Amino acid sequence: MKSLSNQVVSMKPSGIRRFFDLAQTMDNVVSLGVGEPDFITPWNVREASYAALEEGYTAYSANAGLIELREEIATYMKERFLVEYDPTSELIVTTGASQALDIAFRALLNPGDEVIVVEPAFVSYGPLIELAGGTVVPVACRPEKGFRLDREDVEQAITERTKAILLCFPSNPTGATMNGDELAQIAELATKYDLWVVSDEIYAELCYDEPFVSFATLHDMRDRTIVVNGFSKAFAMTGWRLGFTCAPEIVTREMLKVHQYGMMCAPTLVQFGGLEALRTRDQHVPSMVKSYRQRRNYFIQALNEAGLPTHVPGGAFYAFPSIRHTGLTSEEFAERLLVEERVAVVPGNAFGESGEGFVRASYATSLEQLQEAILRIQRFMKQFEVTVLKDSHS
Ligand code: PLP
């Protein structure tokens, strides 16, 4: 038989899934592995999709999505993030932020174009960029800077082939956030070197200390930024597969072609759910954010006290403790914690080389589960005879 695509065959399966699958084979596991809300989608959102089904909305929508939903997204972007988009030409409703990223890279990249990827990074970025013909240039965020991005580090990585910078703050996996002034430093580079920016803002609603700043609101950025966002995290809708892009018409037009041929449209019933989620966001999002903040406050302090130095993440729902002092690699640590204590975390190197020496633990699980995880981690850490750190190191 003829061989399959070299590029796809050489891709590594996601390091997150490997641990998730391993944990599935074991009993009594406390899973801090997979990054998804533990809330069920609010009832009125589910009901809106039922109603759409009953009313017979079973056909394709417009390729770019239901116009009512695009209008609502435009209102949301304006009211919540202070940036205006034309719903008829600058918005596309996608099947999750995942597909939004895919169409963004396919529309932007020519073979050999380089994309600066802020690392440690969400596992899909590298493979999606490479499938679109691009080359990944990782730039590590430094732990000693609370995993914020450094302007000099980015500038050093820029070459003549650099086409775009991919940002994700709040970050998966570190939970780091960047304020407007810090982001403006990166924006200056985008202007100076005439770069596109893909800003993955999927965790925008989940900011606990400082208000979120959308990259598109920074000087000169609206027309060189593709904002990627979605319903999975803020609205507890991971299984619905609903996201969107906001970008100037010049690139939206091209992304829409990829979307049209590859996906046709996001599922129509799901789009009705998304519409209801946005319309009623004030009823649901603040209480979920409050709950994540409480869990963050408990979990980060408890990890530090258990001997795992952890910076305080300003957003998302991940802790990214250092495990360097244990003498284990990230994979060894995660595997032993799972086998010996039945706690599932993800090795940091699943998010790029710069994640080595760390693990990712999601705190989007109940407080009781988090407390149980901490008891087990405390027991596990005893063997390493580490100094108990009372404070986070950032
Ligand atoms: N971007 C980041 C940073 C993520 O963490 C995730 C999911 O974990 C996604 C995108 C994909 O989200 P969606 O469920 O909307 O495809």
Side-chain angles (χ1 to χ4, degrees):
M1 232 186 264
K2 292 202 173 165
S3 62
L4 304 177
S5 155
N6 293 337
Q7 192 176 19
V8 175
V9 171
S10 66
M11 259 179 189
K12 282 195 289 178
S14 156
I16 300 185
R17 281 283 144 185
R18 191 170 83 76
F19 271 80
F20 184 66
D21 293 345
L22 188 60
Q24 294 282 77
T25 65
M26 297 176 173
D27 289 335
N28 188 26
V29 171
V30 179
S31 179
L32 311 178
V34 176
E36 67 178 331
D38 60 330
F39 297 106
I40 295 173
T41 308
W43 173 247
N44 63 311
V45 174
R46 289 183 270 159
E47 213 169 30
S49 268
Y50 286 146
L53 182 58
E54 273 177 8
E55 286 163 33
Y57 285 103
T58 55
Y60 297 127
S61 74
N63 291 133
L66 293 170
I67 186 63
E68 300 90 319
L69 177 55
R70 278 180 283 150
E71 281 167 356
E72 197 63 39
I73 292 170
T75 305
Y76 173 63
M77 292 302 292
K78 185 172 163 193
E79 287 179 357
R80 185 75 181 81
F81 303 120
L82 312 175
V83 51
E84 292 190 37
Y85 290 99
D86 179 347
T88 64
S89 59
E90 296 185 314
L91 296 179
I92 303 176
V93 178
T94 59
T95 48
S98 302
Q99 193 228 346
L101 289 163
D102 189 38
I103 62 173
F105 297 131
R106 287 180 195 274
L108 284 179
L109 300 178
N110 288 310
D113 282 348
E114 293 176 354
V115 181
I116 291 182
V117 177
V118 177
E119 255 200 23
F122 175 50
V123 293
S124 300
Y125 294 155
L128 288 179
I129 289 166
E130 283 165 7
L131 278 175
T135 303
V136 175
V137 178
V139 172
C141 291
R142 297 163 192 253
E144 62 275 17
K145 294 199 169 175
F147 292 103
R148 288 182 185 82
L149 189 59
D150 195 276
R151 178 195 161 114
E152 278 77 58
D153 291 343
V154 177
E155 191 155 22
Q156 271 173 17
I158 294 173
T159 71
E160 293 213 320
R161 308 218 65 162
T162 308
K163 175 67 80 66
I165 306 179
L166 169 56
L167 298 172
C168 178
F169 293 101
S171 157
N172 173 8
T174 67
T177 50
M178 301 243 305
N179 65 31
D181 292 341
E182 291 160 340
L183 288 172
Q185 303 258 322
I186 311 301
E188 276 172 29
L189 293 179
T191 303
K192 181 171 170 189
Y193 295 97
D194 187 22
L195 303 176
W196 285 96
V197 176
V198 179
S199 184
D200 181 347
E201 303 189 353
I202 185 105
Y203 294 102
E205 290 283 1
L206 309 186
C207 283
Y208 309 121
D209 301 323
E210 291 181 304
F212 176 81
V213 175
S214 176
F215 203 79
T217 59
L218 300 171
H219 176 66
D220 184 37
M221 289 304 110
R222 186 195 174 283
D223 288 336
R224 54 172 76 250
T225 301
I226 302 177
V227 172
V228 167
N229 205 331
F231 294 75
S232 286
K233 315 289 173 170
F235 300 97
M237 292 176 70
T238 49
W240 293 64
R241 313 307 307 125
L242 193 62
F244 54 92
T245 58
C246 309
E249 184 176 3
I250 182 177
V251 61
T252 297
R253 206 167 46 218
E254 306 308 325
M255 292 193 292
L256 188 57
K257 287 191 232 163
V258 185
H259 178 67
Q260 200 167 54
Y261 292 124
M263 188 60 62
M264 197 79 90
C265 64
T268 305
L269 300 173
V270 163
Q271 293 188 57
F272 279 99
L275 184 58
E276 177 71 7
L278 283 181
R279 282 183 179 155
T280 59
R281 64 183 186 276
D282 291 345
Q283 291 168 30
H284 307 296
V285 179
S287 59
M288 290 196 263
V289 172
K290 187 172 167 206
S291 165
Y292 291 133
R293 185 187 286 109
Q294 279 167 348
R295 295 183 236 178
R296 176 200 68 163
N297 292 348
Y298 161 72
F299 193 51
I300 303 303
Q301 187 177 349
L303 283 173
N304 277 299
E305 288 176 357
L308 289 177
T310 310
H311 79 103
V312 179
F317 37 55
Y318 306 107
F320 204 60
S322 169
I323 53 93
R324 285 211 176 103
H325 54 302
T326 63
L328 302 178
T329 64
S330 299
E331 294 218 9
E332 286 164 352
F333 184 95
E335 196 140 359
R336 279 184 51 184
L337 184 61
L338 181 59
V339 172
E340 293 172 27
E341 291 292 348
R342 299 283 196 267
V343 176
V345 295
V346 182
N349 65 338
F351 308 98
E353 264 174 46
S354 58
E356 180 53 53
F358 296 85
V359 293
R360 189 193 77 175
S362 163
Y363 55 84
T365 187
S366 69
L367 207 50
E368 294 70 38
Q369 286 285 94
L370 290 177
Q371 284 163 342
E372 178 60 30
I374 289 292
L375 283 178
R376 296 181 189 196
I377 290 170
Q378 282 169 341
R379 211 159 48 208
F380 181 73
M381 289 303 293
K382 287 223 169 82
Q383 61 190 300
F384 301 107
E385 292 178 5
V386 289
T387 320
V388 173
L389 299 177
K390 287 265 171 338
D391 297 312
S392 90
H393 71 144
S394 71

